[in-house]
Amino acid sequence: MQIAIDGPASAGKSTVAKLVAKQLNYVYCDTGAMYRCVTLLVLRRGVAPDDAAAVTALLKDVKISFKPSADGQLVFLNGEDVSLTIRQEDVTNNASAVAAIPAVRTALTDQQRAIADAGNIVMDGRDIGTTVLPHAELKVFMVASVEERARRRFLDNQEKGIDVPVETLEKEIAARDHKDSTRKTSPLKQAADAVLLDTTSLSIEEVVAKIVSLYQERRNIASN
Ligand code: CDP
Ligand code: CDP
């Protein structure tokens, strides 16, 4: 079975997707991490994130792999563990520009489908239910208010010793959502057959339980 979880920034997709995968013993694929890897290489090479031709030219130098770890998953770019580096602010704020380039989306979508072909999967991102896995048995579109999402990112940052005011985070999140929702190629959009899940006032455990129960419903329907 394929479980697709999409939604705007900091709605809780990766936190929840990881836990759902663990509970069901499914493979987890964080597609945002893949766009972040390309963005990291773009910044390291000094390429402008919106220079489509230059970004497309460096795609041949991008090899991304995942490795399971105790608290989820490590991300490797050309053999280097970039799990923490790809979460830095400059990567976060430039990822949407890189992700809007059609050749980047094609290359990563192909890799994501290959990962999903290997077996049962929970995949999270922006276009999983609409483009990458249009036949996923369960699609969830996860949202939360922008204030709550900025608050969550603020708390995450505090744990890492990063000090960005919550008002700045709100603006950054809103700007990224806007770019992700208005781009031409596979924009962030709820699939017609996705279940809308507002996590604004839900705990992580409540969201995980809700998705697992939706999954069990679908499984029962499929086996009857
Ligand atoms: O975790 P957060 O919500 O901050 O972002 P992410 O899931 O790590 O994704 C980083 C960026 O990659 C997003 O802002 C999107 O621009 C892009 N992305 C995408 O275009 N399509 C996906 N399937 C996943 C991410
Ligand atoms: O992947 P996405 O950008 O959607 O979100 P994330 O990277 O999982 O970050 C969400 C943050 O909100 C994490 O710090 C979670 O601990 C927290 N959180 C959540 O994910 N879900 C809730 N229902 C409440 C809080």
Side-chain angles (χ1 to χ4, degrees), residues 204-216:
I204 295 171
E205 294 70 26
E206 286 171 324
V207 181
V208 171
K210 176 78 191 160
I211 295 178
V212 169
S213 115
L214 286 167
Y215 160 86
Q216 277 156 350

Side-chain angles (χ1 to χ4, degrees), residues 5-18 28 30 36 87 124-126 142 144 148-149 151-157 159 176 198-208:
I5 303 181
D6 290 302
S10 292
K13 303 180 298 297
S14 50
T15 303
V16 165
K18 219 179 278 174
Y28 165 56
D30 175 357
R36 286 171 179 271
R87 305 288 157 197
D124 81 307
R126 301 292 187 287
M142 204 182 276
E148 172 62 13
R149 291 186 285 128
R151 196 185 68 85
R152 291 176 185 174
R153 187 132 297 189
F154 181 77
L155 295 177
D156 274 350
N157 280 350
E159 263 179 39
R176 201 141 58 93
D198 187 341
T199 75
T200 306
S201 52
L202 297 180
S203 69
I204 295 171
E205 294 70 26
E206 286 171 324
V207 181
V208 171

Side-chain angles (χ1 to χ4, degrees), residues 45-116:
R45 294 267 177 99
V47 166
D50 56 357
D51 181 340
V55 172
T56 302
L58 63 70
L59 282 173
K60 63 178 186 336
D61 299 336
V62 177
K63 289 251 159 357
I64 301 165
S65 55
F66 293 102
K67 207 162 132 186
S69 73
D71 60 344
Q73 188 165 74
L74 296 174
V75 187
F76 291 83
L77 170 63
N78 300 327
E80 174 192 348
D81 181 355
V82 294
S83 314
L84 293 179
T85 326
I86 56 167
R87 305 288 157 197
Q88 287 170 356
E89 285 289 300
D90 56 343
V91 175
T92 302
N93 291 330
N94 285 294
S96 289
V98 171
I101 298 170
V104 173
R105 304 209 67 83
T106 307
L108 296 188
T109 298
D110 286 350
Q111 287 179 36
Q112 290 153 12
R113 288 186 181 142
I115 293 171

